[in-house]
Amino acid sequence: MVPSQTEASLGVIPRSRYQPQLDGLRAVAVLVILLDHNYTPVAEFLHLGLLGVRLFFVMSGYLITHTLLGLRKKIEARSLLLTSAFTDFYARRFLRILPAYYVAIALGVILGFPQVQGSLIWPLTFLTNFWISLRGEWPPMVSHFWSIAVQEQFYLLWPCIILIVSRTYLWATMIGFVLSALIFRATCITWEIPLITRWVLPFGCLDSLVIGAMISYAKQTWQPTRYHFWIKSKGAVAAAILCIVTAHFLRGGNPETPLIAMKETLEALALACFLAYAVDGFSGWLGKCLANPVLVSMGRMSYGIYLYHVLILAGLKPFLTPLLSALPKYEWIQAVILCFATWSVAALSWYGLENPMSQLRKYFITTTDKNSKKL
């Protein structure tokens, strides 16, 4: 799942406020997922694929909440009706997500992958994560759709929370969702429910999405001094490092202890701190790296990269492995080739489908409500 391109590119953030480092950060997330799915040793040892998915969730929660808070301000200023705000939000999401998503499914069918043909109802209805939970295993070819399903299910809930819940209770509501995810995973462990269930169901992912949302809410509503003290201070960075290290050791610990339910939350907290810095822009070599045009371009196409990468792996890897296996470190050579091939397909999707479809939003989105005078 992947969360989609930066909101500036979708017309949500004004171009003057566009932060290319966010696209660079998105590229990092999708690259580590590619490396992990290609079974490169370092990626597997550091659980980089898991962290990449977690980063996507945190970023998605942040960016979606940024959009919704902007719509809420218009509602509170009586320049937009609540119904128009929902139309605005879902028009953006549908135009961004659905076209490329269904093209990827169609390609799987056309190319004759039986795993896609035999499970169509689940990805078509964005229920792949529930199907994986029922099966108790990762089905080939469509398993990566689970994270996109989680996000789509989150999008059904979250606009109601941000647009309707009173500001007085909004922060407490977010904390409640984070705690509910922790309780869900701990309960699954106590009742010996399979790991895969607590990983793919939306209830177990809520904390990652909502922690990203909390960063967005804090940035827009807190006083700058308070925001920097709690989220961007040296103490916050030290706490983030401690969280990510603790989560790494928990992941390798006893899988039957309820304490291990904290690892996803700890990872999300650490990644949220990193995201908060990227939103304002890192300085120095890290900032230059994340703003690198190649990385930024890849970040803009990250949704397509995520969608198509399993098809590319399944189609090319059986031919590449026999050709390259005699070479030293052939896994890395193979990974580079597969990453480049995936990027190429994603570029075709971006320029030929995703970007043109996103431009259609102007026919569906009402940024100022014609009936606002009646409010």
Short mmCIF file of all heavy atoms in Angstrom, two decimals, residues 189-190 192 198 253-260:
data_model
loop_
_atom_site.label_atom_id
_atom_site.label_comp_id
_atom_site.label_asym_id
_atom_site.label_seq_id
_atom_site.Cartn_x
_atom_site.Cartn_y
_atom_site.Cartn_z
N ILE A 189 -2.06 -11.68 20.65
CA ILE A 189 -0.95 -12.47 21.18
C ILE A 189 -1.43 -13.34 22.34
O ILE A 189 -1.11 -14.53 22.43
CB ILE A 189 0.20 -11.55 21.63
CG1 ILE A 189 0.80 -10.83 20.41
CG2 ILE A 189 1.28 -12.35 22.36
CD1 ILE A 189 1.77 -9.72 20.77
N THR A 190 -2.22 -12.74 23.24
CA THR A 190 -2.72 -13.47 24.41
C THR A 190 -3.60 -14.64 23.99
O THR A 190 -3.52 -15.73 24.58
CB THR A 190 -3.51 -12.52 25.32
OG1 THR A 190 -2.66 -11.43 25.72
CG2 THR A 190 -4.00 -13.25 26.56
N GLU A 192 -3.42 -16.18 21.18
CA GLU A 192 -2.66 -16.98 20.23
C GLU A 192 -3.25 -16.91 18.81
O GLU A 192 -3.28 -17.90 18.08
CB GLU A 192 -2.58 -18.44 20.70
CG GLU A 192 -1.85 -18.57 22.03
CD GLU A 192 -1.70 -20.01 22.48
OE1 GLU A 192 -2.37 -20.89 21.90
OE2 GLU A 192 -0.92 -20.27 23.41
N ARG A 198 -2.80 -10.11 13.03
CA ARG A 198 -2.60 -8.81 13.69
C ARG A 198 -1.72 -7.88 12.85
O ARG A 198 -1.69 -6.67 13.09
CB ARG A 198 -2.01 -9.00 15.07
CG ARG A 198 -0.61 -9.58 15.17
CD ARG A 198 -0.19 -9.65 16.63
NE ARG A 198 1.19 -10.02 16.82
CZ ARG A 198 1.61 -11.24 17.14
NH1 ARG A 198 0.73 -12.22 17.26
NH2 ARG A 198 2.90 -11.49 17.31
N GLY A 253 12.60 -10.92 19.72
CA GLY A 253 12.39 -11.54 21.03
C GLY A 253 11.31 -12.60 21.03
O GLY A 253 10.92 -13.14 19.99
N ASN A 254 10.80 -12.88 22.21
CA ASN A 254 9.77 -13.91 22.39
C ASN A 254 8.47 -13.45 21.73
O ASN A 254 7.86 -12.46 22.16
CB ASN A 254 9.54 -14.14 23.88
CG ASN A 254 8.50 -15.23 24.13
OD1 ASN A 254 8.00 -15.85 23.20
ND2 ASN A 254 8.18 -15.45 25.40
N PRO A 255 8.00 -14.14 20.69
CA PRO A 255 6.80 -13.70 19.98
C PRO A 255 5.51 -13.90 20.77
O PRO A 255 4.45 -13.47 20.33
CB PRO A 255 6.80 -14.56 18.71
CG PRO A 255 7.53 -15.80 19.11
CD PRO A 255 8.57 -15.36 20.10
N GLU A 256 5.59 -14.58 21.91
CA GLU A 256 4.39 -14.89 22.67
C GLU A 256 4.13 -13.92 23.81
O GLU A 256 3.12 -14.05 24.51
CB GLU A 256 4.48 -16.32 23.23
CG GLU A 256 4.55 -17.38 22.14
CD GLU A 256 4.64 -18.79 22.69
OE1 GLU A 256 4.66 -18.91 23.93
OE2 GLU A 256 4.67 -19.74 21.90
N THR A 257 5.02 -12.96 24.03
CA THR A 257 4.79 -11.99 25.10
C THR A 257 4.00 -10.80 24.58
O THR A 257 4.31 -10.27 23.50
CB THR A 257 6.13 -11.51 25.70
OG1 THR A 257 5.88 -10.46 26.62
CG2 THR A 257 7.06 -10.98 24.62
N PRO A 258 2.95 -10.35 25.29
CA PRO A 258 2.15 -9.20 24.84
C PRO A 258 2.97 -7.93 24.65
O PRO A 258 2.56 -7.05 23.90
CB PRO A 258 1.12 -9.04 25.97
CG PRO A 258 1.00 -10.41 26.58
CD PRO A 258 2.38 -10.98 26.50
N LEU A 259 4.13 -7.88 25.31
CA LEU A 259 4.98 -6.69 25.19
C LEU A 259 5.40 -6.44 23.75
O LEU A 259 5.62 -5.29 23.35
CB LEU A 259 6.21 -6.84 26.09
CG LEU A 259 7.13 -5.62 26.22
CD1 LEU A 259 6.39 -4.48 26.90
CD2 LEU A 259 8.39 -5.98 27.01
N ILE A 260 5.48 -7.51 22.96
CA ILE A 260 5.94 -7.38 21.58
C ILE A 260 4.92 -6.60 20.73
O ILE A 260 5.25 -6.12 19.64
CB ILE A 260 6.21 -8.76 20.97
CG1 ILE A 260 7.24 -8.66 19.83
CG2 ILE A 260 4.93 -9.41 20.45
CD1 ILE A 260 7.75 -9.98 19.34
#
